[in-house]
Amino acid sequence: MSRTRCQQTAQDADSTIYKALLESTKAIPWKLDWHSMEFVYIGPQIEQILGWSPESWVTIDDWANRMHPDDRHWVVDFCVSQSREGADHEADYRALTKSGEYRWIRDVVHVMRDEDGNVEALVGFMFDIHERKRTELELVRLQKELEALSYKDGLTGVANRRMFDETLAEEWAGARRHRQPLSLILLDIDFFKQYNDHFGHVQGDESLRQVAQALAGAATRPRDFVARYGGEEFVLVLPETDARAAHLIAERCRNQIFKLQIAHPSSAVSQVLTVSLGLGTRIPDHGDEPTVFLRQVDECLYNAKQQGRNRLVSLA
């Protein structure tokens, strides 16, 4: 046997071994010719994982069309642009199975060049990462759920003081940046201690829940914000709301609570539960602080109580 033939036989044997090794892994090997955008090879593992036969993977369109519509655009654009630049890359996406479901796949891509440095082919591996991705997404969901709970008042279901502090700071900065009015309403349930003394804390908790829901119903725009400020106090942050509109919302809050007709025989101002309110509106200027504004609105609430309760006092 000639030396050339021996070398060819050795190369064929090596190719057979390499192919056997590739096809024995769980990863799916593949090769795409860059000029024709056709698959030169794709491992038989593809059928076990996605259900499609290797023969059905003919062109790059078969890859793109078997991708979740929400992933397709960015993944194709990203992979094509990276390949044109000759940069190795990877992407996670949901691939369509033959049965009509989707599985998470990670594509790891290596760019092959010819002697002149031009892109010649792409080779890579597809990895089935479905279970790992599902676990990751579940952890993200749980994290968001825990974060949401950390911003929610456990009793009333509206936002808590922590969320209010962050929201006020954010909306204050936005109002200052865009020169828009920001309104703030602080309200306090009148004679709530006496209410608890008369009915007990269980009934008191229920009344707080009712008041919170009434306030949420009164602040109906997407960015209107309601929170429990503490104890029997609540606060509303009203972005892009001038003094006149804020006054109408404050009166709506007071009326909504009055309509609940929660009996309060221990109140000195009414036979039903009422609230006192402080209101302020500002277009923040450079150097203005939200804590100062909050303190001013709190003084309005104090004055409403001093003037007999069950009323609204606004900043001048």
Side-chain angles (χ1 to χ4, degrees), residues 49-290:
I49 294 174
L50 296 180
W52 305 102
S53 67
E55 293 75 25
S56 69
W57 296 79
V58 180
T59 71
I60 193 173
D61 290 335
D62 296 312
W63 168 72
N65 292 333
R66 292 167 180 173
M67 197 179 297
H68 195 287
D70 292 344
D71 301 335
R72 184 180 302 136
H73 181 72
W74 80 263
V75 171
V76 172
D77 284 355
F78 171 74
C79 290
V80 170
S81 65
Q82 292 295 299
S83 299
R84 280 175 178 161
E85 293 176 6
D88 293 348
H89 55 279
E90 60 182 61
D92 294 352
Y93 57 87
R94 288 161 289 182
L96 178 69
T97 67
K98 194 172 183 180
S99 62
E101 300 172 341
Y102 287 95
R103 292 192 70 82
W104 279 99
I105 293 293
R106 173 166 295 166
D107 239 332
V108 179
V109 184
H110 171 65
V111 181
M112 299 181 67
R113 298 171 178 270
D114 59 22
E115 294 179 354
D116 298 323
N118 299 314
V119 178
E120 184 177 49
L122 305 179
V123 295
F125 286 95
M126 294 181 186
F127 296 89
D128 182 1
I129 60 168
H130 190 72
E131 293 305 321
R132 184 198 315 170
K133 197 73 175 181
R134 189 163 63 176
T135 301
E136 289 175 0
L137 293 173
E138 179 64 12
L139 288 174
V140 170
R141 186 191 68 79
L142 290 173
Q143 185 176 356
K144 288 182 177 179
E145 191 174 294
L146 288 172
E147 184 177 337
L149 288 173
S150 73
Y151 285 116
K152 184 181 291 187
D153 178 60
L155 175 63
T156 63
V158 297
N160 60 16
R161 176 65 180 272
R162 177 188 176 191
M163 186 63 175
F164 162 70
D165 290 338
E166 294 188 12
T167 299
L168 178 60
E170 181 179 329
E171 294 293 358
W172 184 266
R176 180 166 53 196
R177 184 167 55 252
H178 300 295
R179 300 297 299 161
Q180 292 287 339
L182 178 69
S183 293
L184 191 67
I185 301 172
L186 269 175
L187 64 91
D188 184 87
I189 299 176
D190 295 325
F191 301 106
F192 192 67
K193 180 181 182 303
Q194 290 83 346
Y195 184 93
N196 275 335
D197 290 343
H198 185 90
F199 289 108
H201 288 280
V202 173
Q203 187 61 36
D205 288 349
E206 177 57 29
S207 69
L208 288 173
R209 281 189 283 267
Q210 289 180 268
V211 168
Q213 293 310 306
L215 295 175
T220 55
R221 299 174 307 170
R223 286 172 58 197
D224 290 347
F225 175 83
V226 180
R228 186 182 180 192
Y229 190 68
E232 64 272 21
E233 287 186 308
F234 293 85
V235 62
L236 285 80
V237 181
L238 307 172
E240 299 181 16
T241 307
D242 61 22
R244 181 177 176 277
H247 189 276
L248 292 174
I249 293 173
E251 286 295 348
R252 189 191 308 157
C253 290
R254 196 159 70 95
N255 291 332
Q256 289 288 91
I257 293 167
F258 181 79
K259 287 178 182 179
L260 292 174
Q261 291 292 293
I262 300 173
H264 191 352
S266 299
S267 172
V269 294
S270 175
Q271 288 299 298
V272 296
L273 188 141
T274 59
V275 293
S276 299
L277 305 93
L279 166 64
T281 301
R282 284 285 183 272
I283 298 177
D285 204 351
H286 181 71
D288 291 342
E289 292 295 333

